Amino acid sequence: MNKTEILDNVIETASKWLEGNYDQATKDAVKELLDQEDKTALIDSFYKDLEFGTGGLRGKMGPGTNRMNIYTVGAATQGLANYLNKSFPNKEQISVCIGYDCRNNSKLFSDTVANIFSANGIKAYIFEDLRPTPEMSFAIRHLGCQSGVIITASHNPKEYNGYKAYWEDGSQLVPPHDKNVIDEVKAVKVEDIKFEGNPDLIEVLGAKMDKLYLDTVKTLSLSPEAIQNQKDLKIVFTPLHGTTVKLVPDSLANYGFENVIHIPEQDVVDGNFPTVWSANPEEPEALKMAVDKADEIDADLVMACDPDGDRLGISVKNDKGEWEIINGNQTALIFTYYLIKRRRELGLLTGNDYVVKTIVTTELFKDVAEKNNVECFDAYTGFKWIADVMRKNPEKNYVGGGEESFGYMPGDFTRDKDAVSSCSIMAEIAAWAKDQDKNLFDILKEIYLEYGFSKEKMIYIVREGLQGSQEIAQMMHDYRFNTPKEINGSPVVLVKDYTTRKATNPITGEATDLDFETTADVLQIYLEDGSKISVRPSGTEPKIKYYFEVREELPSIEDFYATEEKANKKIEGIIDSLNLN
């Protein structure tokens, strides 16, 4: 389809919004887009339907089929409601739990969702105010709901919002439910959406659910004595204007920590995120105010959460006295190492224990587990796949699961990454380390010395709009069908393509099956020198992501910085070799 045909289709689609069952403010906004001489915004708003994918909806807010608004949210909810009524025909009362974050329009969208569910005869539990995503997952399980929805765009820019759908175990939708819901959503027309709610089927959740959740988080504690000894540990915490503003400090207090320092400007709940360029704890800039405060007061630990409270970023002092962000792979390593070590010391390992990591997460995670006789499962990116492993292994003992993108789930009472639990356990690890005259950086180096050194880096390329999505698709095609024979001077010895679920040796041509039931648009390239390169399009953002992992020998603790520098140069060499600079 050429540009003229695309524009003609867009104008036809947008014009229908001027006459359909849409409110007047929406019609006025659409007319303004149609009247603009530059049609870029119009095309981006209407060139496709905002896809209800396997992760739900996510997009910029505004009028249009490709935007987050009450109509796209309404269609998603009506489709999900239709599917729930078909899936549980004999259920006396189907119920769902609804949560929302700090973003602009999140309250509007969550109220819209509650009204539509109730209008379809489904009981809707809705939180009285913004709450972290993991608490919503917990509430689904505790209340015995059949589904749930969280209104959030996680750490996306302020222009975005999103809609994540969950199933009765508290995890996001996986096959067959994800595809079935997508089919139901696609069949919904605007006139099918039941916007008029039934107040009798809407129940508000508040402090009682908070207490149940926080008391359950407390059960994860493995070193209460260390916390008692280090209860004055100086912890600087920031919610980055989001949902953890109350629950993380409350949880830390519940654990026994008495010295949590806030950043007042970032305790302000605000979907415009006025103090940060990006409310993403993966970005060093997001932690700057907290690190500056920590430097001023000589704190022990900095922790930050993303707006919906599922990701955790931490910063600690290194050997040089400089504050250093611990990346997501390192955070997952520290969690896994600690949970296994302390459970072993306390006699809590059963011999049938397991952890889960995503395929783009460091392989060192697996080394730590398996060298301690703990099974390690690989899963696709996204905690719904970690939850899927848990669902399939009910007889095994879950220890923890994590991914490189600053997410970890230390307990089995939620089925999504949980920054409230993670903050609580990470503070406990810091107290446990300090009880041994160490800090988290010391613990990390000890892990590397015992299990091997690994260095990781993730970069991404943004490609917006229709043209951008086409460019990303072409890049993935080129990597698949024109895979380099060597990268940075090291031969390619294995290629894993998760669209075909095949692992191929490019030298011999030998192929084996990957142990995954579903496909994913991910390609992994392994080099002779032990490096791993993973490439995938983001499922929620207009990005193509590259994950690099290199391995090096670490002869001693004293060689840490020299080894790290060597690894960094190797990663830069790979990036140069792939022309990604």
Side-chain angles (χ1 to χ4, degrees):
M1 188 181 296
N2 60 42
K3 290 183 178 180
T4 301
E5 290 172 323
I6 291 172
L7 180 57
D8 288 344
N9 284 343
V10 162
I11 291 173
E12 181 182 353
T13 302
S15 296
K16 292 177 181 177
W17 279 52
L18 299 180
E19 302 169 358
N21 293 344
Y22 301 96
D23 64 89
Q24 191 58 47
T26 295
K27 291 179 179 180
D28 291 344
V30 172
K31 187 175 187 309
E32 184 177 336
L33 287 173
L34 282 163
D35 290 344
Q36 289 176 2
E37 186 174 343
D38 183 349
K39 302 298 184 187
T40 303
L42 175 69
I43 292 171
D44 282 348
S45 297
F46 283 96
Y47 82 91
K48 66 174 183 177
D49 291 343
L50 185 63
E51 183 180 357
F52 189 99
T54 55
L57 296 170
R58 192 175 299 190
K60 292 181 178 179
M61 291 176 278
T65 58
N66 190 38
R67 292 286 186 260
M68 283 288 295
N69 51 63
I70 61 170
Y71 302 103
T72 51
V73 166
T77 307
Q78 186 63 54
L80 179 54
N82 293 344
Y83 184 64
L84 286 168
N85 281 322
K86 290 178 182 178
S87 298
F88 300 96
N90 300 317
K91 184 77 175 173
E92 184 177 343
Q93 180 60 73
I94 300 170
S95 63
V96 300
C97 183
I98 303 158
Y100 65 95
D101 71 0
C102 62
R103 288 177 177 273
N104 299 325
N105 293 317
S106 282
K107 180 69 166 67
L108 169 66
F109 293 156
S110 65
D111 287 343
T112 300
V113 171
N115 284 331
I116 293 170
F117 276 130
S118 66
N120 283 273
I122 295 171
K123 183 175 180 63
Y125 294 99
I126 184 167
F127 281 95
E128 62 184 359
D129 202 349
L130 74 170
R131 289 296 192 280
T133 292
E135 185 178 5
M136 191 279 303
S137 175
F138 171 83
I140 289 174
R141 297 172 60 82
H142 179 80
L143 296 168
C145 296
Q146 283 63 59
S147 182
V149 170
I150 190 83
I151 302 296
T152 177
S154 188
H155 56 280
N156 278 67
K158 64 183 179 181
E159 296 83 9
Y160 284 74
N161 213 323
Y163 179 111
K164 294 181 188 176
Y166 290 71
W167 203 240
E168 60 184 335
D169 66 342
S171 79
Q172 289 185 59
L173 302 179
V174 296
H177 304 302
D178 54 357
K179 303 296 185 186
N180 293 341
V181 171
I182 289 169
D183 289 341
E184 291 286 348
V185 173
K186 286 180 177 178
V188 173
K189 298 181 176 62
V190 67
E191 55 266 26
D192 300 329
I193 304 171
K194 299 176 182 178
F195 283 108
E196 290 296 324
N198 177 358
D200 293 337
L201 286 178
I202 299 175
E203 183 174 331
V204 176
L205 302 175
K208 184 178 178 181
M209 185 59 66
D210 294 342
K211 186 176 189 308
L212 285 167
Y213 171 57
L214 293 179
D215 286 348
T216 307
V217 171
K218 177 72 178 296
T219 66
L220 296 173
S221 178
L222 297 169
S223 301
E225 304 87 359
I227 294 174
Q228 180 59 36
N229 294 339
Q230 305 296 337
K231 61 185 178 181
D232 290 329
L233 190 80
K234 288 184 182 178
I235 303 168
V236 176
F237 172 72
T238 173
L240 298 178
H241 303 286
T243 59
T244 55
V245 61
K246 187 173 184 297
L247 259 66
V248 165
D250 284 356
S251 186
L252 291 172
N254 206 28
Y255 264 59
F257 292 102
E258 299 178 358
N259 196 10
V260 178
I261 298 97
H262 294 247
I263 309 298
E265 301 94 325
Q266 295 184 329
D267 276 353
V268 176
V269 173
D270 191 336
N272 292 315
F273 312 118
T275 66
V276 291
W277 170 77
S278 170
N280 182 357
E282 297 178 67
E283 301 286 350
E285 184 273 339
L287 274 68
K288 185 178 186 308
M289 291 182 72
V291 169
D292 286 347
K293 172 59 74 173
D295 202 39
E296 175 191 328
I297 65 172
D298 192 26
D300 296 290
L301 175 65
V302 170
M303 295 193 292
C305 294
D306 64 347
D308 71 318
D310 58 5
R311 281 179 169 86
L312 163 66
I314 63 173
S315 186
V316 298
K317 279 187 178 178
N318 61 24
D319 294 344
K320 303 172 184 177
E322 302 164 338
W323 286 94
E324 184 168 326
I325 290 180
I326 304 297
N327 71 37
N329 285 292
Q330 294 169 328
T331 302
L333 280 176
I334 292 171
F335 274 125
T336 303
Y337 169 80
Y338 173 79
L339 293 171
I340 291 173
K341 182 179 180 67
R342 286 298 289 144
R343 286 192 179 205
R344 169 165 281 111
E345 291 171 350
L346 296 169
L348 298 176
L349 291 181
T350 66
N352 197 22
D353 313 281
Y354 73 100
V355 294
V356 195
K357 74 174 189 68
T358 62
I359 58 175
V360 297
T361 300
T362 175
E363 297 301 315
L364 195 55
F365 185 115
K366 182 178 290 187
D367 294 344
V368 170
E370 292 181 347
K371 287 181 181 178
N372 285 281
N373 297 315
V374 173
E375 189 174 7
C376 181
F377 289 92
D378 266 316
Y380 285 139
T381 301
F383 268 71
K384 66 181 182 181
W385 297 114
I386 292 177
D388 194 47
V389 172
M390 298 169 73
R391 188 182 304 113
K392 293 171 180 174
N393 292 277
E395 76 289 353
K396 295 181 185 289
N397 180 41
Y398 175 78
V399 175
E403 63 182 6
E404 52 69 43
S405 60
F406 289 61
Y408 205 85
M409 189 170 71
D412 63 359
F413 48 83
T414 65
R415 288 296 189 274
D416 208 339
K417 49 187 175 286
D418 182 350
V420 179
S421 297
S422 295
C423 282
S424 306
I425 292 295
M426 187 56 71
E428 176 174 287
I429 301 171
W432 172 77
K434 193 168 185 179
D435 225 26
Q436 306 169 60
D437 295 320
K438 300 172 185 175
N439 70 3
L440 293 177
F441 199 76
D442 297 319
I443 299 300
L444 181 62
K445 290 189 298 181
E446 289 181 2
I447 296 171
Y448 285 142
L449 188 64
E450 184 174 355
Y451 296 98
F453 183 83
S454 173
K455 185 69 177 181
E456 306 81 24
K457 183 173 183 176
M458 189 276 285
I459 65 172
Y460 57 82
I461 296 172
V462 176
R463 292 291 185 268
E464 297 270 7
L466 172 62
Q467 182 176 340
S469 64
Q470 293 170 338
E471 289 177 12
I472 288 173
Q474 184 61 48
M475 292 163 79
M476 290 301 299
H477 179 275
D478 291 344
Y479 286 125
R480 278 199 171 88
F481 298 103
N482 297 290
T483 309
K485 291 183 169 55
E486 69 169 35
I487 297 173
N488 194 34
S490 183
V492 174
V493 295
L494 186 68
V495 178
K496 292 182 179 180
D497 188 344
Y498 292 89
T499 61
T500 60
R501 288 174 286 179
K502 294 286 185 183
T504 305
N505 182 325
I507 300 170
T508 65
E510 181 184 359
T512 57
D513 292 328
L514 294 170
D515 188 20
F516 284 80
E517 295 179 3
T518 59
T519 62
D521 192 3
V522 183
L523 192 73
Q524 292 186 311
I525 302 169
Y526 293 78
L527 307 184
E528 190 176 68
D529 66 5
S531 302
K532 180 178 82 170
I533 303 155
S534 306
V535 189
R536 73 175 185 94
S538 171
T540 56
E541 300 169 278
K543 297 176 179 177
I544 181 169
K545 295 185 174 183
Y546 298 81
Y547 306 80
F548 308 103
E549 177 180 359
V550 300
R551 306 294 286 265
E552 292 289 349
E553 292 292 326
L554 179 63
S556 70
I557 289 288
E558 290 71 27
D559 294 302
F560 173 79
Y561 287 108
T563 303
E564 183 178 50
E565 180 60 25
K566 188 177 178 182
N568 285 334
K569 287 181 178 178
K570 186 179 286 187
I571 290 175
E572 291 307 313
I574 292 172
I575 292 171
D576 287 342
S577 184
L578 293 172
N579 297 314
L580 296 175
N581 282 322

